[in-house]
């Protein structure tokens, strides 16, 4: 996708110069040959990292979020035990989607991690929600059991 966008921009620039100095048909509208691909690239980059990987197998949760272009920014990679997972929230703003994950931390009490999931399909988001809900439910059941065990010990 990224290659196609940059090819559109290169084609727009070449078309702009051909139009401007050879054909001169469009006039001032010839600037749109450059502006439209730039706007499309801006929106593409604004949506965030294109690759999101999630793994909940075993005793740990793995989240990875990276760009298709490796040098654009640093990839995010987090791994933590399932029992530290507190909650999550998916925020959907126009065409940008974010996943906010709250985990327990020794120092601060809790830490919020942010992942960009704009390029996931509805089915993938629903699968992610289902998996995260299972972890939240399992953690809440463990807390209820541990609280009841503590009450028995105190009694």
């Amino acid at each position: 996708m990224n290659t196609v966008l940059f090819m559109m921009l290169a084609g727009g620039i070449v078309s702009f110069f051909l139009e401007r100095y050879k054909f001169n048909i469009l006039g001032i509208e010839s600037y749109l040959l450059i502006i439209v691909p730039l706007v499309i690239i801006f929106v593409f980059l604004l949506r965030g990292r294109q690759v999101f990987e999630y793994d909940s197998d075993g005793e740990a949760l793995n989240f990875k979020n990276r760009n298709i272009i490796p040098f654009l920014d640093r990839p995010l990679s987090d791994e933590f035990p399932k029992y530290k997972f507190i909650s999550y929230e998916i925020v959907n703003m126009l065409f940008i989607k974010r996943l906010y994950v709250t985990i327990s931390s020794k120092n601060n009490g809790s830490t919020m991690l942010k992942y960009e999931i704009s390029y996931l399909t509805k089915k993938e988001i629903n699968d992610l929600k289902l998996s995260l809900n299972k972890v939240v439910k399992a953690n809440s059941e463990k807390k209820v059991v541990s609280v009841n065990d503590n009450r028995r010990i105190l009694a």
Side-chain angles (χ1 to χ4, degrees), residues 129-143:
K129 285 180 183 179
L130 182 67
S131 179
L132 292 176
N133 283 333
K134 285 180 184 178
V135 175
V136 169
K137 185 178 178 184
N139 285 347
S140 65
E141 288 174 359
K142 286 180 185 177
K143 286 180 185 177

Side-chain angles (χ1 to χ4, degrees), residues 43-57:
V43 169
F44 180 74
L45 295 175
L46 179 70
R47 289 185 74 186
R49 294 178 175 93
Q50 294 84 23
V51 179
F52 176 77
E53 298 172 6
Y54 167 73
D55 182 22
S56 65
D57 294 340

Side-chain angles (χ1 to χ4, degrees), residues 1 5 8 13 30 56 75 81 93 101 113 116 120 125-126 137 139 146 149:
M1 183 67 180
L5 292 175
M8 282 178 44
I13 291 171
S30 64
S56 65
M93 303 171 282
V101 173
L113 306 171
E116 298 158 344
L120 294 182
I125 290 176
N126 287 335
K137 185 178 178 184
N139 285 347
S146 67
D149 289 345

Side-chain angles (χ1 to χ4, degrees), residues 21-72:
Y21 297 109
K22 178 107 174 150
F23 302 117
N24 204 11
I25 298 171
L26 295 175
I28 194 77
E29 289 87 13
S30 64
Y31 287 103
L32 291 175
L33 296 171
I34 295 176
I35 294 172
V36 170
L38 281 176
V39 169
I40 293 172
I41 289 172
F42 177 74
V43 169
F44 180 74
L45 295 175
L46 179 70
R47 289 185 74 186
R49 294 178 175 93
Q50 294 84 23
V51 179
F52 176 77
E53 298 172 6
Y54 167 73
D55 182 22
S56 65
D57 294 340
E59 293 297 316
L61 293 174
N62 296 318
F63 293 92
K64 293 180 183 174
N65 207 194
R66 61 185 172 85
N67 261 323
I68 292 174
I69 309 167
F71 58 85
L72 199 56

Side-chain angles (χ1 to χ4, degrees), residues 64-116:
K64 293 180 183 174
N65 207 194
R66 61 185 172 85
N67 261 323
I68 292 174
I69 309 167
F71 58 85
L72 199 56
D73 65 3
R74 242 182 35 184
L76 291 176
S77 181
D78 295 311
E79 182 176 347
F80 50 87
K82 285 184 180 179
Y83 69 85
K84 287 190 170 194
F85 184 75
I86 298 173
S87 66
Y88 75 95
E89 180 181 1
I90 294 178
V91 177
N92 191 359
M93 303 171 282
L94 198 55
F95 56 89
I96 300 171
K97 296 177 193 140
R98 301 281 190 259
L99 170 67
Y100 295 98
V101 173
T102 305
I103 60 172
S104 62
S105 171
K106 289 181 182 178
N107 300 338
N108 301 338
S110 67
T111 303
M112 184 170 285
L113 306 171
K114 180 182 89 167
Y115 304 100
E116 298 158 344

